[in-house]
Amino acid sequence: MAAIVPNRRVRKTPFTPGVEAEGVKGYTVYNHTLLATVFESVEADAAHLKQHVQVWDVSCERQVQIKGPDALQLMKMLSPRDLDRMQADQCYYVPIVDHNGGMLNDPVAIKLADDHYWLSVADGDLWQFVLGIVIALGLNVEITEPDVFPLAVQGPKANDLMARIFGDGVRDINFFRYKRLAFEDTSFVVARSGWSKQGGFEIYVEGADYGMPLWNTLFANGRDLNVRAGCPNGIERIESGLLSFGSDMRRENTPYECGLARFCNSPLDYIGKPALLDQAANGPPRQIRPLVIDGAIGPCTESWPLRADGRQVGQVASAAYSPEFGVNVAIGMVDRSHWDPGTRIEVMTEHGMRWSEVQETFWR
Ligand code: THG
């Protein structure tokens, strides 16, 4: 495929000069924003991520800001997850569903104050859905997409690199908690989170002008830690079972189908709850499963039907060869009839049929 050209609709980020200088080789577009996909090679990037520390420009994780007296009321309508004990230093992974229980997005919610939240959204214009509810109900909140640019620092050496810049206090930030920490004449929300299972942080950079100074500080302080620019990794995230909204699951899927039932514990009548009661009680008709695919596969750029007994029993939307595990790892949405571990299913790739087998668990 030819190059993606940035313009007013396909946004660069404050870190794009750094990403380019570090030799990015490919981009995708996510929330109308450039997102790197590969630096050296996806395999080499994965191996480096598992050993060292990487800095990821994930500015494409846009923030939908909900601010005002009715913020908590609105959040409770939007969230299948019980927010009652959520503290103002916490992040929650929250599936958001429509009135039929269909997935609209799977953001990370950040509580800044009782009347102030961010939804750090996956690909999709969630702010329009939220604004529509606000207008229809006349709620007293402002919905904006502020200039907040998340920068992820991921990998086993992330603690050491971050401590050099933000102090040793970063070491005791617990998973999905945050601290507001000083940088130059400002401060940022620094959370222990990120779209890998190698450990690390996300810095919510407020103000584009701080972007490159922070980027340069991270690289200047991390030479001996072998810091590199990186990006969400197409192998590591499948091994880790991190789902990509729009690929692995979409509006035609419920959170139960996505294996996100543990995030649907709100006692309140949130949007979509009545439509989910049946699946809450009886389980979904299909569900996300880890799969191993035999033989040679190319990249899965659309989706591959899963077939058994001459009919379709699901599809695969993410697959890659894992050098660490020595197999092709994949994420499928599989019908109940074929989702038991050990079940063998045909995968219809564009290069021909491959056998796959349902796994018990993801790889970490
Ligand atoms: N970080 C931030 N915003 C994001 C993402 C992110 N927005 C887009 C996208 N990623 C949203 N999707 C996910 C998917 C998984 C996780 C986070 C965001 C995740 N899941 C953990 C897991 O599944 O093990 C932990 C969930 C939990 O226990 O709460 O981290 O990456 N800012």
Side-chain angles (χ1 to χ4, degrees):
M1 251 178 57
I4 289 174
V5 180
N7 58 29
R8 199 176 184 192
R9 290 175 296 94
V10 180
R11 296 179 281 224
K12 296 182 192 172
T13 87
F15 312 110
T16 299
V19 170
E20 290 280 323
E22 294 296 324
V24 64
K25 285 185 182 152
Y27 287 112
T28 185
V29 176
Y30 191 99
N31 282 326
H32 316 280
T33 306
L34 293 176
L35 171 62
T37 58
V38 57
F39 283 84
E40 189 180 341
S41 68
V42 180
E43 292 77 9
D45 293 355
H48 178 269
L49 169 64
K50 292 170 185 179
Q51 285 190 301
H52 303 289
V53 54
Q54 296 184 348
V55 178
W56 298 1
D57 173 10
V58 284
S59 301
C60 64
E61 297 167 354
R62 299 283 292 175
Q63 308 307 301
V64 176
Q65 174 161 270
I66 300 174
K67 194 172 185 187
D70 293 340
L72 182 55
Q73 182 192 343
L74 174 60
M75 284 294 291
K76 287 180 170 179
M77 294 179 62
L78 291 170
S79 172
R81 192 161 171 183
D82 185 356
L83 302 179
D84 260 358
R85 282 186 306 277
M86 188 179 196
Q87 305 293 311
D89 71 338
Q90 254 184 313
C91 314
Y92 271 14
Y93 183 38
V94 176
I96 307 267
V97 300
D98 69 14
H99 59 309
N100 293 320
M103 291 280 296
L104 292 175
N105 209 293
D106 67 336
V108 175
I110 298 112
K111 179 171 181 174
L112 299 161
D114 285 330
D115 63 350
H116 189 186
Y117 295 82
W118 287 337
L119 295 175
S120 184
V121 294
D123 193 39
D125 293 295
L126 190 72
W127 68 273
Q128 298 186 355
F129 175 75
V130 177
L131 182 61
I133 294 166
V134 168
I135 294 170
L137 299 183
L139 298 179
N140 188 1
V141 287
E142 250 191 31
I143 305 302
T144 55
E145 258 199 6
D147 279 342
V148 177
F149 305 99
L151 190 66
V153 179
Q154 300 286 297
K157 299 178 185 170
N159 279 319
D160 292 337
L161 178 54
M162 289 291 284
R164 291 176 187 181
I165 291 150
F166 292 101
D168 274 324
V170 296
R171 297 183 191 276
D172 37 64
I173 300 175
N174 288 327
F175 188 60
F176 269 52
R177 298 270 173 170
Y178 73 81
K179 288 183 181 174
R180 192 171 261 286
L181 298 174
F183 178 76
E184 295 185 344
D185 62 347
T186 188
S187 68
F188 302 132
V189 169
V190 177
R192 192 176 292 274
S193 56
W195 214 56
S196 86
K197 290 208 174 169
Q198 303 308 314
F201 301 87
E202 290 178 302
I203 309 163
Y204 292 82
V205 177
E206 290 174 74
D209 290 348
Y210 292 105
M212 282 312 293
L214 175 61
W215 177 279
N216 289 330
T217 302
L218 285 162
F219 280 83
N221 282 275
R223 290 294 163 210
D224 63 309
L225 301 175
N226 196 7
V227 65
R228 285 193 201 167
C231 51
N233 185 271
I235 300 168
E236 196 275 348
R237 74 96 179 167
I238 297 174
E239 296 169 347
S240 297
L242 291 166
L243 304 181
S244 177
F245 181 75
S247 288
D248 301 313
M249 76 294 200
R250 296 182 163 187
R251 192 173 166 199
E252 60 256 34
N253 302 116
T254 69
Y256 294 92
E257 294 177 357
C258 302
L260 302 179
R262 66 189 183 283
F263 304 117
C264 301
N265 62 346
S266 170
L268 306 176
D269 195 15
Y270 60 84
I271 296 166
K273 186 172 187 178
L276 292 172
L277 287 178
D278 178 62
Q279 290 198 8
N282 303 312
R286 62 192 69 83
Q287 201 168 51
I288 289 289
R289 283 290 181 274
L291 299 169
V292 160
I293 303 177
D294 296 343
I297 58 166
C300 184
T301 55
E302 295 191 13
S303 80
W304 295 334
L306 290 168
R307 210 179 59 178
D309 315 321
R311 66 186 173 91
Q312 187 168 349
V313 297
Q315 77 277 332
V316 163
S318 305
Y321 178 72
S322 162
E324 181 178 349
F325 297 99
V327 292
N328 298 315
V329 295
I331 299 177
M333 184 67 79
V334 186
D335 287 359
R336 183 192 285 251
S337 57
H338 288 80
W339 74 21
D340 286 341
T343 307
R344 290 184 67 79
I345 316 174
E346 298 171 352
V347 189
M348 311 311 288
T349 80
E350 57 262 61
H351 308 292
M353 192 279 277
R354 302 285 184 271
W355 281 102
S356 71
E357 186 171 312
V358 179
Q359 306 296 298
E360 191 90 47
T361 58
F362 283 96
W363 290 265
R364 59 177 59 80

